[in-house]
Amino acid sequence: MNNAFEVNFDGLVGPTHNYGGLSYGNVASQSNSQAVSNPKEAAKQGLAKMKALMELGFKQGVLAPQERPNVAGLRSLGFTGSDAQVIEKAAKEAMPLLVANCSASSMWTANACTVSPSADTADGRVHFTAANLNCKYHRSIEHPTTSRVLGAMFADQRYFAHHAALPAVGQFGDEGAANHTRFCKGYGEAGVEFFVFGRSAFDARYPAPQRYPARQTLEASQAVARLHGLSEEGVVYAQQSPAVIDQGVFHNDVIAVGNGEVLFYHQDAFLDTDKVLAELGTKLAHRGGNFQAVCVPREAVGVEDAVKSYLFNSQLLTRADGHMLLIVPEECRNNANVWNYLERLTAGQGPIREVKVFDLKQSMQNGGGPACLRLRVALKEQELEAVNPGVIMTPSLYDRLNLWVDKHYRDQLREGDLADPQLLLECRAALDELTQILKLGSVYPFQLD
Ligand code: SUG
């Protein structure tokens, strides 16, 4: 029997982590705009989660942050001169563009790409499509480096296939794994891939939200499924409720999470919920699985509480005894409705039996919870062996990364600090050392020039 695992690759928070107020439709990002950030604490909170999950016996990896400030991005917008002059001119003439080019948003690796495990794909390889993230400028600049980093992590072409991001227009808006969940009986067995979209770009029959943007289109999800060679029996599409997008649910992983045979979701998450659940049940049954849906009723937890607490942006993990564990942010414990619900849930006989709480406040204040911070990659044993070992978390890598953060990161960052030419030098020194620690080779624009 071929062993298979789910490996969580968490985004290492970059040294420019700040609150830029860049994401319209993401309530936390907007309400914390201009707050003073603490990049050192942010990186350590993320590392602490990685370490804890590794110590619980889960396979854990790490995904490197991107080069920020993004001088090349500013040059492409017409700023010229030395690197320091580019930053100085941007700060003077177009501060919002400098802020966007300093965002550490690549930490939310659930948006890095969509991954289809080898058991689902036509050619038997693990497929990755980098997300174009083109709803927001600061995120749309991530995918070229994301592709290089993924290429350096999953380099062996016998096992891994990489696709470039979809065309960079809103009609193919793609936010990666945040809108993609995979159900399966076992990680190494063929599963059912569940794509949740916010709108259709070409078919007016699908309703669209009125207030906030729907970032993911049906056409983008379909293109990813085609690129990955998924079969019709192994795919289900569902539309997210436009009403919840208008309440701040900017990705499906803010209102639902799945793992194995279980979907944990809010009553108001989808349109045509009964039809969607029936299709998931039928298709998973054909794959030998027994689909289980755990619905959180709106009477117990309203959408507003779900968005504030990030209850659904949790990691749903299978423990060794087969029961499931939910990794939630501290904000869930601080919300009475959510916490009461979780106590009732875990006391029952359902699949979810345990909750663990993590302090991820630095990321949460930008709308990124435990699930945003990780990219799931289901791998068979020989595929895991083919992954660049430099990015697999170990006790010594954890110690090394913690020291690296201590050495290079600031503990305060305000908007004005982004214009400091010293920050650019600090970040490049940090990232140059990081690529050596993680054995990635040259992946950043400043290393490729
Ligand atoms: O794209 N926030 C991110 C949060 C991404 C969360 N990811 C998932 N749900 N999977 C976003 O809105 C805010 C950056 C700022 O405002 O500085 C930001 O980009």
Side-chain angles (χ1 to χ4, degrees), residues 323-335:
H323 291 309
M324 290 193 189
L325 157 69
L326 203 60
I327 303 292
V328 301
E330 187 80 52
E331 285 71 2
C332 286
R333 190 157 48 192
N334 300 337
N335 181 307

Side-chain angles (χ1 to χ4, degrees), residues 12 62-66 145-146 148-155 387-392 431-444 447-448:
L12 183 55
V62 58
L63 220 150
Q66 304 221 343
T145 297
T146 300
R148 280 193 297 274
V149 173
L150 289 173
M153 293 166 68
F154 304 96
V387 176
N388 178 344
V391 299
I392 301 297
L431 294 180
D432 217 25
E433 195 179 319
L434 182 68
T435 49
Q436 291 164 42
I437 296 174
L438 299 180
K439 302 188 174 52
L440 292 174
S442 297
V443 289
Y444 297 120
Q447 296 174 317
L448 299 168

Side-chain angles (χ1 to χ4, degrees), residues 21 34 45 61 77-78 105 156 181-182 190 224 227 257 273 302 317 347 369:
Q34 305 288 313
Q45 288 175 342
L77 299 174
S105 55
D156 191 329
T181 310
R182 177 174 184 261
V224 171
L227 285 165
V257 59
T273 308
L317 301 169

Side-chain angles (χ1 to χ4, degrees), residues 20-23 26 29 108 111 138-139 178 215 251 253 366-367 372:
L22 298 171
S23 279
N26 167 343
S29 152
W108 300 298
N111 304 118
H138 73 288
R139 304 224 58 186
R215 299 194 194 185
H251 288 136
D253 69 4
N366 253 338
C372 299

Side-chain angles (χ1 to χ4, degrees), residues 34-69:
Q34 305 288 313
V36 181
S37 68
N38 183 336
K40 185 176 281 185
E41 186 177 59
K44 286 184 172 245
Q45 288 175 342
L47 280 167
K49 172 163 90 78
M50 297 185 224
K51 179 173 187 260
L53 294 197
M54 171 186 71
E55 286 175 350
L56 285 168
F58 297 103
K59 304 267 182 224
Q60 182 67 53
V62 58
L63 220 150
Q66 304 221 343
E67 180 189 338
R68 300 286 181 272

